[in-house]
Amino acid sequence: MEQEQKRDIRKLSLAELEVFFLSIGEKKFRAKQVYDWLWNKRLKNFAEMTNLSKATRERIEQHFVINHIRVDQMKRSVDGTIKNAVKLYDGKIVESVLIPTPKRITACVSSQVGCSLDCNFCATARLKRMRNLHPDEIFDQVAAIMEEAKVYFDRPLTNIVFMGMGEPLLNYANLLEAIEKITSPEGLGISPKRITVSTVGVCKMIRKLADDEVKFNLAVSLHSAINETRSRLMPINDSNPLEDLADALRYWYRKTKRKVTYEYVVWKGINDDEAHALALAKFCQIIPSKVNLIQYNPIDDGEFQQADPDKLDLYVQVLERFDIVAKVRKSRGQDIDAACGQLANKNDLVTLG
């Protein structure tokens, strides 16, 4: 019972830590020391905070815990991709992925346990949303991948994408707090220009991002620029149709002057024709943008099938005709179900978590 009453110390701001230390008769500067241990040095227990006396450490431990994540299972792909099954303090599991390329090492992190948006092609959607991740749980995923980048590749982490489990903009406050810690010199010190938050298109939250003057990049999982097709793929399009999304993106660009990236999967018999490619080209003209065309990664049910390579070429040709930058993104980590849309597909830990 006593353990349950302890607070997670990383939920306290620096100012709140200062109040705590003053309340137990300690100097105010102790708060800064502890804050540095927690966020910059990323310690997992109080005993290692060596510039504090043993008595002070014991007093902190009487009041607080550090609910640090644990990488419960790690899988490595033949292409170098690493997938982590991350166990949270309450036993629930999320997944994060390290994606290596010759010039980059990218962390793909989760923002929710499960997801509430029911995208028909995505394995994570089958889990339903269990809860939002706390800022420290998001932070810890990135920190773990930073360490893996050093250990396995002897290179630094260069980029972060919020394209793992969950819809980041439905965990808005925790997302922004986590990114503040990730980008802070007192945290991981990663430039916001190297961070991309991907959304399925929650229009009012895209507007809020613009109002809050965020410095990171925005990506939208689009997959079709025809309402009927997009609603079939992504039920959220019924409440956030393409016309509303277009208005929200115009607002985003007007406030931030930053282009958006469209993530776009091409499926056989669904959106692999010239009409869909032309609709995408037209949508891309709303604001400056670029397109990542993504190879579909199967999730076993056979309902959705990978488009033929020439259909991806068709998209590239159509988009280039309209001077829109388009790249075909090769999937990585497919053999360990770490590729786009596959997270939680075959992980017993996640299913049972």
Side-chain angles (χ1 to χ4, degrees):
M1 189 68 180
E2 180 186 349
Q3 182 74 7
E4 290 176 6
Q5 293 172 346
K6 292 183 181 182
R7 297 181 66 190
D8 183 348
I9 194 168
R10 289 192 296 175
K11 286 187 166 54
L12 273 63
S13 66
L14 178 57
E16 289 170 326
L17 275 176
E18 289 173 347
V19 170
F20 166 74
F21 278 105
L22 290 173
S23 74
I24 63 170
E26 289 277 1
K27 298 291 187 183
K28 185 177 174 180
F29 72 85
R30 294 294 181 202
K32 182 68 173 70
Q33 291 177 315
V34 171
Y35 197 81
D36 185 60
W37 283 118
L38 293 171
W39 296 108
N40 189 261
K41 297 184 175 69
R42 307 187 288 284
L43 282 196
K44 301 178 184 179
N45 61 73
F46 299 114
E48 296 178 21
M49 297 182 179
T50 50
N51 57 355
L52 305 176
S53 70
K54 184 179 179 183
T56 299
R57 281 177 271 163
E58 288 174 349
R59 292 196 71 181
I60 298 171
E61 198 153 5
Q62 288 172 5
H63 292 85
F64 299 108
V65 292
I66 305 173
N67 286 332
H68 210 280
I69 67 163
R70 186 173 84 238
V71 176
D72 215 49
Q73 188 181 89
M74 188 183 80
K75 292 183 178 180
R76 297 191 70 185
S77 166
V78 293
D79 64 24
T81 300
I82 295 174
K83 182 173 76 169
N84 294 324
V86 173
K87 182 168 278 191
L88 310 174
Y89 75 95
D90 58 0
K92 289 184 169 56
I93 301 283
V94 295
E95 294 183 332
S96 58
V97 184
L98 181 158
I99 306 163
T101 63
K103 294 183 179 179
R104 295 182 175 187
I105 290 188
T106 300
C108 176
V109 298
S110 295
S111 55
Q112 296 179 311
V113 185
C115 188
S116 61
L117 293 176
D118 298 323
C119 294
N120 294 319
F121 52 86
C122 180
T124 305
R126 298 176 175 182
L127 297 175
K128 304 305 178 185
R129 190 186 74 81
M130 287 169 256
R131 71 170 174 86
N132 287 331
L133 292 188
H134 304 310
D136 53 281
E137 294 170 327
I138 297 171
F139 177 95
D140 284 351
Q141 290 176 75
V142 178
I145 290 175
M146 283 184 77
E147 290 302 313
E148 290 170 349
K150 291 178 186 174
V151 170
Y152 296 104
F153 298 93
D154 195 26
R155 289 160 53 195
L157 178 67
T158 60
N159 296 80
I160 302 168
V161 294
F162 283 83
M163 297 181 186
M165 297 166 67
E167 165 54 53
L169 299 192
L170 295 184
N171 187 16
Y172 191 87
N174 289 348
L175 171 76
L176 262 59
E177 187 176 337
I179 290 175
E180 189 278 324
K181 291 286 193 302
I182 289 165
T183 56
S184 168
E186 297 172 332
L188 301 181
I190 294 173
S191 168
K193 293 178 181 178
R194 295 185 173 274
I195 298 174
T196 299
V197 171
S198 179
T199 176
V200 296
V202 187
C203 298
K204 68 177 182 180
M205 303 313 293
I206 291 173
R207 290 173 176 272
K208 184 162 175 52
L209 283 176
D211 287 337
D212 287 343
E213 299 179 348
V214 299
K215 304 302 182 189
F216 50 78
N217 303 305
L218 178 65
V220 175
S221 292
L222 194 62
H223 310 310
S224 178
I226 296 173
N227 272 317
E228 183 182 0
T229 305
R230 193 166 193 264
S231 289
R232 173 187 169 187
L233 296 166
M234 309 168 73
I236 193 173
N237 192 70
D238 292 338
S239 56
N240 291 257
L242 289 163
E243 295 78 12
D244 293 353
L245 178 58
D247 285 343
L249 291 170
R250 288 188 190 98
Y251 187 81
W252 160 268
Y253 187 73
R254 194 158 64 244
K255 297 277 282 191
T256 68
K257 295 295 184 281
R258 292 210 303 283
K259 68 170 61 176
V260 67
T261 299
Y262 297 119
E263 305 289 337
Y264 197 101
V265 178
V266 184
W267 289 278
K268 181 179 286 188
I270 294 175
N271 62 349
D272 62 346
D273 55 36
E274 189 169 12
H276 279 87
L278 287 167
L280 174 59
K282 183 178 178 182
F283 195 86
C284 286
Q285 293 173 315
I286 291 166
I287 64 169
S289 60
K290 61 180 181 179
V291 177
N292 282 334
L293 295 166
I294 302 168
Q295 179 186 29
Y296 177 61
N297 304 296
I299 56 173
D300 287 346
D301 54 19
E303 181 183 357
F304 295 93
Q305 296 179 29
Q306 199 174 94
D308 295 332
D310 64 307
K311 299 298 185 181
L312 289 169
D313 293 339
L314 168 68
Y315 264 89
V316 172
Q317 291 165 14
V318 170
L319 292 170
E320 287 182 347
R321 202 188 310 157
F322 290 87
D323 295 322
I324 297 159
V325 174
K327 292 183 179 178
V328 177
R329 245 178 51 190
K330 296 192 187 313
S331 291
R332 301 180 66 87
Q334 281 182 297
D335 57 315
I336 57 169
D337 296 299
C340 183
Q342 289 186 315
L343 292 193
N345 187 25
K346 294 177 183 172
N347 192 328
D348 291 337
L349 289 171
V350 175
T351 308
L352 298 172

